[in-house]
Amino acid sequence: MTAALRFHDVGKAFKDGTVALTGADFAVAPGEFTSIVGPSGCGKSTLLRIASGLDDATAGEVTVGADRLGYVFQDATLLPWRSVRANVELLAELHGLDRSERRKRAAEAIELVGLTGFEKHMPHELSGGMRMRASLARSLTLSPDLFLFDEPFGALDEITRERLNDELLSLFRLQRFAALFITHSVMEAVFLSTRVLVMSGRPGRILADVPIPFEYPRDPALRFSPDFAALCGEISGHLRGAHA
Ligand code: ADP
């Protein structure tokens, strides 16, 4: 099976000599949800930028098997002068889809993220969680088969983050995209993923690759089970090693 994304021994050194990434070697299979946790500044965003083609590797090779890429940033990056609907239509518009197709896809995506009824609202009228939903909907209009997430829920309060995690998993089950998800939260990584990669401090390398065996759908109460706590403990242990 062709991987949705494969890193072959990938490294990144910036022009000023900073080595952000070294020997990154992993693959994300279609339908697999992989999260990456690691200390600040270890090269997680750099890795994601390379995966998306926004930046180039300086060593190794990246192969993208997916046809359509989605990218969700930590900031919702909505255009403040556009309504929710017009923001959600933006990527489809940039891809040259005609107006009726854009409308249709935006309406579907808005419904999927639970923003129906808010189409005419402006970004400043939305909560942080709703802005992230709109950002997610904008990517969904292109039906990505590889979704890259750069700490999308990092700025939200815990309850909103948990709710968005539950909703993201519903979308994942429905659309079965491959996902590469960056987060600081071990609990979030374990709850969402089929697998968690732990990165070392800079220059980032992959220290551990931990499979997460829980079946989907995942009940929100899974977060309070002993097996879940044990996995979080194992990953936190690797992370403490990464900080050492
Ligand atoms: P993370 O997402 O894990 O917090 P980043 O990928 O943003 O880390 O950054 C990794 C390292 O590379 C950091 O030390 C950062 O300062 C450095 N870095 C990022 N972009 C550049 C750049 N354009 N030039 C030089 N160093 C950079």
Side-chain angles (χ1 to χ4, degrees), residues 14 16 18 20 39-46 202:
F14 288 106
D16 67 359
T18 307
S40 284
C42 76
K44 301 184 294 299
S45 298
T46 302
R202 188 163 64 83

Side-chain angles (χ1 to χ4, degrees), residues 16-230:
D16 67 359
T18 307
V19 180
L21 204 60
T22 181
D25 202 273
F26 66 94
V28 183
E32 189 179 34
F33 201 119
T34 298
S35 286
I36 299 189
V37 294
S40 284
C42 76
K44 301 184 294 299
S45 298
T46 302
L47 185 151
L48 216 61
R49 288 173 62 81
I50 292 173
S52 70
L54 282 172
D55 208 345
D56 292 322
T58 49
E61 200 190 339
V62 177
T63 323
V64 180
D67 294 323
R68 296 170 308 278
L69 220 67
Y71 201 137
V72 179
F73 300 91
Q74 177 158 17
D75 188 273
T77 61
L78 302 177
L79 298 175
W81 59 87
R82 282 188 164 218
S83 67
V84 166
R85 174 160 55 207
N87 265 291
V88 173
E89 283 186 19
L90 183 70
L91 285 182
E93 199 176 309
L94 293 174
H95 275 73
L97 274 75
D98 68 42
R99 193 182 151 86
S100 65
E101 182 64 20
R102 287 197 317 251
R103 275 283 146 100
K104 180 171 153 282
R105 291 194 188 196
E108 282 166 8
I110 285 170
E111 189 179 349
L112 278 172
V113 301
L115 280 181
T116 305
F118 293 92
E119 292 86 347
K120 294 193 175 138
H121 281 57
M122 302 305 282
H124 75 269
E125 297 175 293
L126 305 178
S127 67
M130 290 163 92
R131 281 199 287 273
M132 280 319 302
R133 286 195 173 96
S135 170
L136 205 55
R138 184 179 51 196
S139 287
L140 283 170
T141 58
L142 298 181
S143 311
D145 46 3
L146 173 61
F147 233 129
L148 306 173
F149 297 95
D150 194 355
E151 279 193 69
F153 310 137
L156 303 175
D157 66 85
E158 197 176 331
I159 297 295
T160 306
R161 176 195 281 234
E162 285 185 1
R163 192 172 305 144
L164 281 166
N165 283 174
D166 295 338
E167 291 172 9
L168 179 58
L169 279 194
S170 303
L171 282 176
F172 174 62
R173 290 191 57 235
L174 212 60
Q175 310 225 330
R176 222 49 216 225
F177 42 76
L180 186 60
F181 190 97
I182 304 285
T183 177
H184 272 112
S185 162
V186 172
M187 269 183 78
E188 180 173 61
V190 173
F191 186 72
L192 292 175
S193 312
T194 49
R195 171 178 170 222
V196 177
L197 304 177
V198 182
M199 278 177 74
S200 71
R202 188 163 64 83
R205 14 183 221 97
I206 293 163
L207 283 180
D209 183 342
V210 183
I212 309 296
F214 308 121
E215 296 290 329
Y216 298 95
R218 293 184 179 173
D219 192 280
L222 173 67
R223 296 181 179 93
F224 307 106
S225 75
D227 289 349
F228 187 88

